[in-house]
């Protein structure tokens, strides 16, 4: 059978979205018609021109985004690794000069290798995702409304943080919760629903509320997770949710905990050492074919220690073993042991999240014991 002859120039022009080809020296080699359209430029005004010349005025609202695009392309040319980013790129309204319309671009930069194995070209793809970002902002507001407001729990202080993934176009399903159990006891939880978007945020809200209610009527974290698992089996999209749950009792100076496939809580001791509470880890919710009792373990604590629960966005990195992330968390906790809870929470995020932001959502709860 004869293979069809492919007109790659026609494929390039028909590519969905705006794409351009640049040399490693950042000179435009070609672009498709959609790229010229969104730029409002002709082929003659683009092809053969140097990309940095696109910044005629360093003080223009678009200057920062253009500089970031150049930096990303240069990095791809140097490393041979693709990169993607989300950039704000405001556009001046045609009918109202000096009035700028807020716009967002999704950018993908991919190396094209030559026969010698070196980067020969850079494929630069641009997509206007302004409407998606505006929809994400609505979803994020909904998600934040479903999370409890930061407040003291009983007589004990706690710091909470939620950070959405940078560059993601949809919200995630991470959550946290704190419950006053009466006496001198509180319950703390963090969870992570698989997926993104309004559906994941909706599942998150249902599971958080159900676990919060279960914590008030059962005797321990394992029982609360067993109730939650039964409930989760009736909710589409709740399968494989991970949760870590801890009951803290100051009368007995004991942490009782249980985990459904979640990264282990960290206990910062008064001497600066960090213990990871990993003796009661079971599969995520709905991962087992039949319902079964969940594991539970207890750990004594000394007053003044710190308990940290978090979701995997805080510690996990691509192509990196999870133990490396846990060690990074332990080191940060030890360095900031003397700080107050709010400062410590901010320091953990600054230390552990990548400079450009994490690729996964992050929820964090810190309790002074």
């Amino acid at each position: 059978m004869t293979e069809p002859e492919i007109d790659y120039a026609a494929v390039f022009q028909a590519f969905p979205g705006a794409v351009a080809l640049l040399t490693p020296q950042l000179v435009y080699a070609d672009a498709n018609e959609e790229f010229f359209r969104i730029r409002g430029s002709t082929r003659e005004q683009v092809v053969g021109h140097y990309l940095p010349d696109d910044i005629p005025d360093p003080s223009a609202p678009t200057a920062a985004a253009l500089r970031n695009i150049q930096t990303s392309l240069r990095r791809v040319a140097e490393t041979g690794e693709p990169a993607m980013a989300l950039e704000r790129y405001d556009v001046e309204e045609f009918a109202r000069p000096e009035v700028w319309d807020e716009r967002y671009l999704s950018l993908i930069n991919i190396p094209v290798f030559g026969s010698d194995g070196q980067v020969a070209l850079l494929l630069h793809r641009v997509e206007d995702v302004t409407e998606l970002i505006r929809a994400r902002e609505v979803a994020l507001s909904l998600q934040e409304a479903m999370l409890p407001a930061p407040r003291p729990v009983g007589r004990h202080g706690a710091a909470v943080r939620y950070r959405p993934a940078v560059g993601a176009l949809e919200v995630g399903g991470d959550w946290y919760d704190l419950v006053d159990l009466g006496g001198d006891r509180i319950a703390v939880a963090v969870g992570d629903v698989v997926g993104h978007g309004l559906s994941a945020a909706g599942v998150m809200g249902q599971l958080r509320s159900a676990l919060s209610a279960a914590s008030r009527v059962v005797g321990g974290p394992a029982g609360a997770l067993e109730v939650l698992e039964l409930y989760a089996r009736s909710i589409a999209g709740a399968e494989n949710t991970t949760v870590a749950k801890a009951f803290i009792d100051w009368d007995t100076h004991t942490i009782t905990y249980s985990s459904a496939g979640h990264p282990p809580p960290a206990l910062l001791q008064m001497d600066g050492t960090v213990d990871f509470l990993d003796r009661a880890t079971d599969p995520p919710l709905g991962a087992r074919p039949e319902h079964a009792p969940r594991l539970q373990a207890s750990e004594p604590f000394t007053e003044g220690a710190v308990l940290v629960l978090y979701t995997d966005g805080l510690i996990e990195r691509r192509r990196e073993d999870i133990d490396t992330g846990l060690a990074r968390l332990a080191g940060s906790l030890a360095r900031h042991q003397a700080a107050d809870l709010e400062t410590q929470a901010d320091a953990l995020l600054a230390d552990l999240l990548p400079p450009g932001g994490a690729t996964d959502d992050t929820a964090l709860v810190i309790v002074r014991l």
Side-chain angles (χ1 to χ4, degrees), residues 181-211:
L181 299 176
D184 207 5
R185 301 167 62 237
I186 69 170
V188 187
V190 293
D192 186 357
V193 173
V194 175
H196 291 81
L198 286 174
S199 60
V203 172
M204 176 273 287
Q206 294 178 78
L207 294 182
R208 188 197 69 80
S209 297
L211 183 58

Side-chain angles (χ1 to χ4, degrees), residues 106-182:
S106 173
L107 307 170
I108 300 177
N109 299 321
I110 301 172
V112 179
F113 297 97
S115 58
D116 59 355
Q118 301 299 309
V119 176
L121 291 169
L122 304 171
L123 179 66
H124 175 57
R125 181 175 183 270
V126 182
E127 183 179 5
D128 189 329
V129 293
T130 304
E131 295 307 315
L132 288 174
I133 292 298
R134 289 172 179 164
R136 182 183 191 267
E137 290 172 348
V138 172
L140 184 57
S141 297
L142 171 63
Q143 183 180 38
E144 292 176 343
M146 291 190 290
L147 293 174
R151 57 180 173 78
V153 182
R155 66 181 183 87
H156 302 283
V160 298
R161 296 289 187 274
Y162 170 76
R163 294 290 184 272
V166 172
L169 300 184
E170 298 179 298
V171 297
D174 291 23
W175 90 84
Y176 61 82
D177 194 35
L178 298 101
V179 177
D180 186 353
L181 299 176

Side-chain angles (χ1 to χ4, degrees), residues 108-329:
I108 300 177
N109 299 321
I110 301 172
V112 179
F113 297 97
S115 58
D116 59 355
Q118 301 299 309
V119 176
L121 291 169
L122 304 171
L123 179 66
H124 175 57
R125 181 175 183 270
V126 182
E127 183 179 5
D128 189 329
V129 293
T130 304
E131 295 307 315
L132 288 174
I133 292 298
R134 289 172 179 164
R136 182 183 191 267
E137 290 172 348
V138 172
L140 184 57
S141 297
L142 171 63
Q143 183 180 38
E144 292 176 343
M146 291 190 290
L147 293 174
R151 57 180 173 78
V153 182
R155 66 181 183 87
H156 302 283
V160 298
R161 296 289 187 274
Y162 170 76
R163 294 290 184 272
V166 172
L169 300 184
E170 298 179 298
V171 297
D174 291 23
W175 90 84
Y176 61 82
D177 194 35
L178 298 101
V179 177
D180 186 353
L181 299 176
D184 207 5
R185 301 167 62 237
I186 69 170
V188 187
V190 293
D192 186 357
V193 173
V194 175
H196 291 81
L198 286 174
S199 60
V203 172
M204 176 273 287
Q206 294 178 78
L207 294 182
R208 188 197 69 80
S209 297
L211 183 58
S212 185
S215 301
R216 290 171 162 85
V217 296
V218 299
L225 289 183
E226 289 171 24
V227 171
L228 183 66
E229 180 159 44
L230 290 171
Y231 178 65
R233 289 176 181 272
S234 67
I235 301 176
E239 61 276 2
N240 292 317
T241 293
T242 67
V243 188
K245 185 73 179 181
F247 281 30
I248 307 172
D249 190 330
W250 275 269
D251 290 333
T252 62
H253 284 77
T254 302
I255 302 167
T256 306
Y257 64 94
S258 184
S259 174
H262 203 82
L267 178 61
L268 174 63
Q269 307 285 8
M270 292 297 292
D271 63 1
T273 60
V274 175
D275 296 322
F276 288 100
L277 308 185
D278 57 3
R279 293 184 292 111
T281 300
D282 276 327
L285 301 183
R288 294 184 287 202
E290 296 183 358
H291 181 72
R294 287 194 168 268
L295 295 174
Q296 180 171 294
S298 294
E299 184 79 14
F301 68 83
T302 302
E303 195 151 340
V306 172
L307 180 66
V308 181
L309 282 77
Y310 52 92
T311 54
D312 56 10
L314 188 69
I315 60 166
E316 291 188 353
R317 300 290 178 270
R318 292 177 182 173
R319 299 185 293 275
E320 182 179 271
D321 189 275
I322 189 173
D323 289 339
T324 303
L326 292 176
R328 190 163 49 237
L329 170 59

Side-chain angles (χ1 to χ4, degrees), residues 327-337 344 347-349 351-352:
R328 190 163 49 237
L329 170 59
S332 180
L333 283 171
R335 285 194 301 275
H336 303 290
Q337 182 176 18
Q344 195 170 46
L348 284 180
L349 295 179
D351 284 355
L352 301 180

